[in-house]
Amino acid sequence: MDSSQFREAANSAIDEIVQYYDTLATRPVLPSVTPGYLKPLLPQGPPEEGEQWPQIQADIEKVIQPGLTHWQHPKYMAFFPANASYPGILGEMYSSTFTAAAFNWICSPAITELETVVLDWVAKMLALPDCFLSDSPGGGGGIIQGTASEVIVTAVVAARERIVRKNLLAEGFTSPDAEEALDRAADIRGKLVALGSEHAHSSTQKAAIIAGTRYRSVSAPRNANFSVTASSLRSTIEACKAKGLTPFYFTATLGSTNTCAVDDLEGIAAVARDYPDIWVHVDAAYAGSALICPEYQHLTGPMSSFSSFNLNLHKWMLVNFDCSAFYVKSRKDLTDTFTLTPAYLRNSYTDSGLVTDYRDWQIPLGRRFRSLKLWFVLRTYGVKGLQQFIRKGIKLGEFFNGLVDSRPDLFTVVTPAAFALTTFQVSPGNGEPNANSDTDEANRLTKAVFEKVDQQREFFITSSVVGGIYVIRIVSANERAEEKYVQEVFETLVKAAEKVKRGV
Amino acid sequence: MDSSQFREAANSAIDEIVQYYDTLATRPVLPSVTPGYLKPLLPQGPPEEGEQWPQIQADIEKVIQPGLTHWQHPKYMAFFPANASYPGILGEMYSSTFTAAAFNWICSPAITELETVVLDWVAKMLALPDCFLSDSPGGGGGIIQGTASEVIVTAVVAARERIVRKNLLAEGFTSPDAEEALDRAADIRGKLVALGSEHAHSSTQKAAIIAGTRYRSVSAPRNANFSVTASSLRSTIEACKAKGLTPFYFTATLGSTNTCAVDDLEGIAAVARDYPDIWVHVDAAYAGSALICPEYQHLTGPMSSFSSFNLNLHKWMLVNFDCSAFYVKSRKDLTDTFTLTPAYLRNSYTDSGLVTDYRDWQIPLGRRFRSLKLWFVLRTYGVKGLQQFIRKGIKLGEFFNGLVDSRPDLFTVVTPAAFALTTFQVSPGNGEPNANSDTDEANRLTKAVFEKVDQQREFFITSSVVGGIYVIRIVSANERAEEKYVQEVFETLVKAAEKVKRGV
């Protein structure tokens, strides 16, 4: 494909992309294909001779589109959003044009430096404490990684090695590669336990598996709004210690996956000060984007007591997946663990110590140019445009919550609209006080209603189980979300609930 | 940015992208910026109000271009290539359009299924044994991950847990979450040691750090062409066992970073059969792409004895970064370790067991639609086009090797052209037999010549140290590579060597 063929192909692709978004609402949000649909539609292998673009492009509509779930669709209300935007797409176009495996500064200085600059911009927008800025005296800073789960593995492993190094030093081991030191390090690792809310995203438990440490969940019951309190965390820490285990890491959640619960960050900050060996990470993967609105910025106050923080700009900040921002108070905590510099990676800039080599802040070596799309999004929307977008989602959440409240004969809100997410159950009774208290029956009804709506495939919604309660989760916070679709999903739920309650 | 603004912006971006590639050879391959160049060129934060695209686009040429290292430039001959291509860019355009955090099948069936299909295509192109195909009776298959380093962490952690599970079972532990089983698992992990060639990429050692296990390198001296032999691996395994350690993982390298050495795969296969508890992974990150040419396919014979294999299609197969293909003989080895299914991720398709949820094969949860760009590249070039591209690189390597050989008074080849990479030294003598044997002097001269050429910034080349020998590495294998540039870099090296040897 030469330049002029590419120009033609790309212009045609742009037309198709615009057409896709302009007609998105008329497509079904969920595909109707069955597992294994694609293989019979494609040849057994690649062609011997190259094909022309029009032939390839035609297959996108023919074989790919029927198998897509449309996350940008206004009827997508599942999980959390993974928002795309036009400036985000432009960012990916340039990023792939400037392809580089930019692991070191010299591999493409702009890739490293734009990342540092725009992550400082984002930290300021979120009102994060200054300790997370790249020019903070303590040596903090931000990095873009792929996903929150990748970030959390990075934090857990760095936390594990930080406490191992500290203990070895305290015990007088001066050469960490000596066999005795390795033995002792293994013993220390063997007693470590990572902690997270029972409602923390599963990525914390998975990170503990990857890091090879134990994992314990901290209880966060319904009467605490499914949030971890200081006393709950403290008692879990002490219970671990009583068993001879060493808690070394805790994920505090700002916006849990189940209900968008926010752990008691003020209280947890006090615990963090009492147990300085525990690395506290704040996972604000989805809800963190709301911190760009001043009405949420009181939440960032306690964060200077924590080691690290992340939010997925690809969830709610209109930056196309993947773009997870990870901030640390001390980048040395990362580089002490992840830096390895074989001869083939040495260069005078790295040796000078004047540059950031982000490879030493992360698990993979190579890195994409992900800051471009973030830069384009921030500039295209501006701070006000992004705040407006976040507030639209919040308002739609409150609107849905109000609709649910309007039908106490059918529904009970389990957790009210928080960061655009409402969870609710189908009520077993008739809405009269004390008539809705049969949990098993409520769970059965709610599951039946969820399955009915799920099978209709008109909307993409998800359910969960939180503290033994089966809930339907509705979150409508992508760019094409509108009140009329929220109204529609509600009516669909009402019809389903009426049928289920009538036993139809 | 609405649809019509996007169309205009994107078409203008396409023009700029074409212009970039058409004029690439006239730009300097390396930027001349100094560390910290970018921050003063940008505002302190994002704008309050959104900006228009022309204003944003203008800054790409103004502030980003001066800081780019151009990996697609014909004078880029450093590290290994990270090839971009026009169909690869088209793939990223559509991928970002269909943005989804596609962790489960139902999150977008086409994203999962196209990945399975095209990775089977690639496996067949490479003549990998059938055990790595998705429909193999043993349950193998491929997945696209970001980088080889991410793949290797995944393999090391899966290998670690595989041996832990096996030992616990053999010792009669039936409930792996019981405190006693956790204690015993920690003891087992504490004795594990991962192995890799002394010339294996640093990602294996880094993976061992992340997994919290020990690491030992296997010697691969110059008289074995810097390759690991069966006897060298066997004696390292036995030495570890004699110390009470348990070797559980070995990275065999097909194309080492320093010299493109290939470990003795036949011999290692025999070792693997003798030590079935050791997970042998073949890292063919760069050189693996050459396996699409029949003249290299004898190398795949022994691979059915190994647990896993990876190659970076983003290095030498014209698929834009990132696209690392990871094949396993038993996907159960991955899912047994990485599967966690909290309530909010449950769905009827996952429960049915009929679909692949790639999240359970990897560290992160979310995934990009990376198979599209691979599909576009395979179809646009065709098998023949890709073979032609690989052979062009091979031929340029041999051409450069010949040039070096033509000047024995100045240079000595250390490792002859292998997969397009030649490494060489500056000779201390005059080219007469026995006159070139002073290693320290050769190292000093070679380093001086490298630094001279590096400082000229006309070409981007890299150096390394292999078995105590300082070498210059030249690999010219991107799409714009041409004989004339290889000739030019050679003349530049000649001039530098003549000056250094004259003491100028």
Side-chain angles (χ1 to χ4, degrees):
Chain A
M1 185 180 282
D2 65 21
S3 292
S4 74
Q5 287 168 325
F6 170 68
R7 190 194 306 269
E8 202 176 318
N11 287 337
S12 169
I14 296 298
D15 286 343
E16 191 175 14
I17 290 167
V18 167
Q19 162 85 358
Y20 170 73
Y21 279 116
D22 285 349
T23 60
L24 188 50
T26 68
R27 294 175 186 261
V29 59
L30 279 163
S32 55
V33 297
T34 50
Y37 89 97
L38 184 62
K39 198 175 175 178
L41 302 178
L42 296 179
Q44 298 289 308
E48 278 298 305
E49 308 282 345
E51 294 173 80
Q52 295 301 306
W53 175 249
Q55 201 174 342
I56 299 169
Q57 190 181 19
D59 280 345
I60 297 169
E61 188 61 40
K62 214 164 91 191
V63 305
I64 300 301
Q65 281 285 4
L68 290 178
T69 300
H70 304 289
W71 287 52
Q72 313 311 318
H73 197 293
K75 293 181 176 176
Y76 173 92
M77 302 176 184
F79 306 113
F80 285 128
N83 274 307
S85 68
Y86 282 137
I89 296 173
L90 291 165
E92 287 290 10
M93 285 166 62
Y94 279 98
S95 167
S96 56
T97 299
F98 301 145
T99 287
F103 41 85
N104 279 346
W105 182 86
I106 188 58
C107 285
S108 221
I111 299 184
T112 294
E113 297 207 4
L114 186 65
E115 188 160 328
T116 304
V117 169
V118 294
L119 284 190
D120 279 346
W121 287 11
V122 170
K124 288 179 200 162
M125 287 169 72
L126 302 169
L128 285 186
D130 287 350
C131 59
F132 294 107
L133 295 175
S134 68
D135 57 1
S136 62
I143 175 176
I144 300 176
Q145 298 195 357
T147 62
S149 32
E150 188 184 329
V151 162
I152 288 172
V153 177
T154 309
V156 169
V157 170
R160 188 197 68 199
E161 292 308 295
R162 186 175 73 173
I163 199 164
V164 167
R165 278 191 305 272
K166 191 180 165 179
N167 286 0
L168 286 181
L169 207 64
E171 293 171 18
F173 290 93
T174 46
S175 58
D177 292 333
E179 210 65 44
E180 283 172 0
L182 295 173
D183 283 340
R184 180 66 192 123
D187 288 344
I188 296 168
R189 286 189 201 103
K191 293 293 176 193
L192 295 179
V193 55
L195 308 175
S197 164
E198 60 175 308
H199 307 296
H201 188 271
S202 56
S203 52
T204 296
Q205 188 178 353
K206 190 165 171 177
I209 291 171
I210 292 162
T213 73
R214 293 164 211 241
Y215 175 76
R216 291 286 181 284
S217 66
V218 181
S219 91
R222 187 167 188 183
N223 62 19
N225 298 315
F226 305 116
S227 303
V228 169
T229 59
S231 68
S232 179
L233 176 58
R234 227 179 262 276
S235 68
T236 306
I237 292 171
E238 287 304 322
C240 288
K241 289 184 165 231
K243 282 190 180 171
L245 300 175
T246 312
F248 74 106
Y249 173 90
F250 171 65
T251 295
T253 302
L254 196 168
S256 66
T257 308
N258 279 327
T259 66
C260 267
V262 178
D263 288 344
D264 171 17
L265 300 177
E266 286 277 8
I268 291 165
V271 180
R273 288 189 294 272
D274 289 346
Y275 298 92
D277 281 354
I278 298 181
W279 179 307
V280 179
H281 173 78
V282 179
D283 178 13
Y286 164 66
S289 291
L291 299 175
I292 63 167
C293 300
E295 60 270 32
Y296 288 100
Q297 293 180 347
H298 60 279
L299 290 170
T300 67
M303 292 200 191
S304 56
S305 299
F306 304 139
S307 293
S308 53
F309 170 89
N310 81 283
L311 85 163
N312 288 350
L313 297 158
H314 60 247
K315 278 199 164 75
W316 204 10
M317 198 101 91
L318 293 161
V319 183
N320 296 47
F321 184 74
D322 53 351
C323 190
S324 184
F326 176 34
Y327 291 94
V328 289
K329 207 156 65 177
S330 164
R331 53 186 176 247
K332 199 168 170 302
D333 283 340
L334 299 178
T335 56
D336 277 352
T337 295
F338 296 111
T339 303
L340 273 184
T341 305
Y344 50 82
L345 294 181
R346 288 195 64 164
N347 64 83
S348 56
Y349 297 99
T350 296
D351 291 348
S352 75
L354 294 173
V355 298
T356 299
D357 286 340
Y358 275 126
R359 69 181 171 95
D360 298 330
W361 298 40
Q362 65 174 25
I363 291 169
L365 177 63
R367 339 189 53 246
R368 295 201 306 127
F369 196 173
R370 287 184 282 220
S371 56
L372 262 185
K373 58 186 171 185
L374 172 55
W375 190 42
F376 290 176
V377 166
L378 295 175
R379 293 183 64 178
T380 302
Y381 287 86
V383 177
K384 284 186 185 167
L386 291 170
Q387 288 171 337
Q388 200 175 355
F389 169 68
I390 295 289
R391 287 174 183 141
K392 182 189 82 165
I394 302 279
K395 219 173 132 188
L396 287 176
E398 285 162 0
F399 175 67
F400 181 77
N401 191 150
L403 293 173
V404 174
D405 279 339
S406 73
R407 291 296 300 266
D409 55 320
L410 290 176
F411 302 122
T412 313
V413 166
V414 175
T415 56
F419 303 104
L421 170 67
T422 306
T423 70
F424 65 98
Q425 280 211 309
V426 178
S427 323
N430 55 7
E432 297 298 309
N434 304 322
N436 299 344
S437 57
D438 184 341
T439 305
D440 286 349
E441 178 62 2
N443 282 356
R444 190 190 66 78
L445 292 171
T446 309
K447 188 159 189 275
V449 169
F450 171 76
E451 285 171 356
K452 203 176 261 293
V453 175
D454 189 47
Q455 278 155 22
Q456 290 171 12
R457 309 180 84 80
E458 178 70 19
F459 292 89
F460 189 15
I461 63 173
T462 43
S463 63
S464 193
V465 179
V466 51
I469 304 166
Y470 190 105
V471 296
I472 298 174
R473 304 165 71 257
I474 297 286
V475 52
S476 178
N478 67 23
E479 203 171 17
R480 279 157 197 83
E482 282 183 48
E483 203 175 279
K484 70 173 176 182
Y485 298 106
V486 172
Q487 180 79 46
E488 261 183 60
V489 78
F490 179 70
E491 283 159 17
T492 304
L493 287 159
V494 165
K495 273 184 210 147
E498 283 170 346
K499 281 189 187 163
V500 164
K501 289 189 77 169
R502 286 203 314 269
V504 186
Chain B
M1 186 180 282
D2 65 22
S3 293
S4 74
Q5 288 168 325
F6 170 68
R7 190 193 307 268
E8 202 176 318
N11 287 336
S12 169
I14 297 298
D15 287 343
E16 191 175 12
I17 290 166
V18 167
Q19 162 86 356
Y20 169 72
Y21 279 116
D22 285 350
T23 61
L24 189 50
T26 67
R27 294 176 185 260
V29 60
L30 279 162
S32 55
V33 298
T34 50
Y37 88 96
L38 184 61
K39 198 174 175 178
L41 302 178
L42 295 179
Q44 296 290 305
E48 279 299 304
E49 309 281 347
E51 293 174 79
Q52 295 302 306
W53 175 250
Q55 201 174 344
I56 299 169
Q57 190 180 19
D59 279 345
I60 298 169
E61 188 61 42
K62 214 164 92 190
V63 305
I64 300 300
Q65 281 284 4
L68 290 178
T69 301
H70 303 289
W71 286 52
Q72 313 311 319
H73 197 291
K75 293 182 176 176
Y76 173 93
M77 302 176 183
F79 306 112
F80 285 128
N83 274 307
S85 68
Y86 282 138
I89 297 173
L90 290 165
E92 288 289 11
M93 285 167 62
Y94 279 98
S95 167
S96 56
T97 298
F98 302 143
T99 287
F103 40 87
N104 279 346
W105 183 86
I106 188 57
C107 285
S108 221
I111 299 184
T112 293
E113 297 206 5
L114 186 65
E115 189 160 327
T116 304
V117 170
V118 293
L119 284 190
D120 278 346
W121 286 12
V122 170
K124 289 178 200 164
M125 286 168 72
L126 302 169
L128 285 186
D130 287 350
C131 59
F132 294 107
L133 295 176
S134 67
D135 56 2
S136 61
I143 175 177
I144 300 177
Q145 299 196 356
T147 62
S149 31
E150 190 184 328
V151 163
I152 289 172
V153 177
T154 309
V156 169
V157 170
R160 188 197 67 198
E161 292 308 295
R162 185 174 75 173
I163 199 164
V164 167
R165 277 192 306 273
K166 190 179 166 181
N167 286 359
L168 286 181
L169 207 63
E171 294 172 18
F173 289 93
T174 47
S175 57
D177 292 334
E179 209 66 44
E180 282 172 1
L182 295 173
D183 283 341
R184 180 65 192 123
D187 287 344
I188 296 168
R189 285 189 200 103
K191 293 294 175 193
L192 296 179
V193 54
L195 308 175
S197 164
E198 62 176 306
H199 307 297
H201 189 271
S202 56
S203 51
T204 296
Q205 189 177 353
K206 191 165 171 177
I209 291 171
I210 292 162
T213 74
R214 295 163 209 242
Y215 175 77
R216 292 285 182 283
S217 66
V218 181
S219 92
R222 187 167 188 183
N223 62 18
N225 299 316
F226 305 115
S227 304
V228 169
T229 59
S231 68
S232 178
L233 176 57
R234 227 178 261 275
S235 68
T236 306
I237 292 170
E238 288 304 323
C240 289
K241 289 183 165 233
K243 283 191 180 171
L245 300 176
T246 312
F248 73 106
Y249 173 91
F250 170 65
T251 295
T253 302
L254 195 168
S256 66
T257 309
N258 279 328
T259 66
C260 268
V262 179
D263 289 344
D264 171 17
L265 300 178
E266 287 277 9
I268 292 166
V271 180
R273 289 189 293 271
D274 289 345
Y275 299 91
D277 282 354
I278 298 181
W279 179 307
V280 178
H281 173 79
V282 179
D283 178 13
Y286 164 67
S289 292
L291 299 175
I292 64 167
C293 299
E295 59 270 32
Y296 288 100
Q297 293 180 348
H298 60 279
L299 291 169
T300 67
M303 291 201 193
S304 56
S305 299
F306 305 140
S307 293
S308 55
F309 170 88
N310 80 283
L311 85 162
N312 289 349
L313 297 158
H314 60 246
K315 278 197 162 76
W316 203 9
M317 199 101 90
L318 293 161
V319 184
N320 296 48
F321 184 76
D322 53 353
C323 191
S324 184
F326 176 35
Y327 292 94
V328 289
K329 207 157 61 177
S330 164
R331 53 186 176 247
K332 199 169 170 302
D333 283 340
L334 299 178
T335 56
D336 277 352
T337 294
F338 297 112
T339 302
L340 273 183
T341 306
Y344 51 81
L345 294 182
R346 288 195 67 164
N347 64 83
S348 57
Y349 298 99
T350 296
D351 291 347
S352 75
L354 293 174
V355 299
T356 298
D357 286 339
Y358 274 126
R359 68 181 171 95
D360 299 329
W361 297 39
Q362 64 173 24
I363 292 170
L365 177 64
R367 341 189 50 247
R368 295 202 307 126
F369 196 172
R370 287 183 284 220
S371 55
L372 262 186
K373 59 186 172 185
L374 171 56
W375 190 43
F376 290 175
V377 166
L378 295 175
R379 294 183 64 177
T380 302
Y381 287 85
V383 177
K384 284 187 185 167
L386 291 169
Q387 288 171 338
Q388 200 175 356
F389 169 69
I390 294 288
R391 287 174 183 141
K392 181 189 84 167
I394 302 279
K395 218 175 132 186
L396 287 177
E398 285 162 359
F399 175 67
F400 181 77
N401 190 151
L403 293 173
V404 174
D405 279 340
S406 73
R407 290 298 300 264
D409 55 320
L410 290 177
F411 303 121
T412 313
V413 167
V414 175
T415 56
F419 304 103
L421 170 67
T422 305
T423 70
F424 65 98
Q425 279 212 309
V426 177
S427 324
N430 54 8
E432 297 298 313
N434 303 322
N436 299 343
S437 59
D438 184 341
T439 306
D440 286 348
E441 179 62 1
N443 283 355
R444 190 191 65 78
L445 292 171
T446 309
K447 188 159 189 275
V449 169
F450 171 75
E451 285 171 356
K452 204 177 261 292
V453 175
D454 189 46
Q455 278 153 22
Q456 289 170 13
R457 310 181 82 79
E458 180 68 21
F459 292 88
F460 189 16
I461 63 173
T462 43
S463 64
S464 193
V465 179
V466 51
I469 304 166
Y470 189 105
V471 295
I472 298 175
R473 304 166 72 257
I474 298 286
V475 52
S476 178
N478 67 23
E479 205 172 14
R480 280 159 196 81
E482 283 183 46
E483 204 175 280
K484 71 173 176 183
Y485 299 107
V486 172
Q487 180 78 47
E488 261 184 60
V489 78
F490 178 70
E491 283 160 16
T492 304
L493 286 159
V494 165
K495 272 184 210 147
E498 284 171 346
K499 280 190 186 161
V500 163
K501 287 189 79 168
R502 284 204 315 270
V504 185

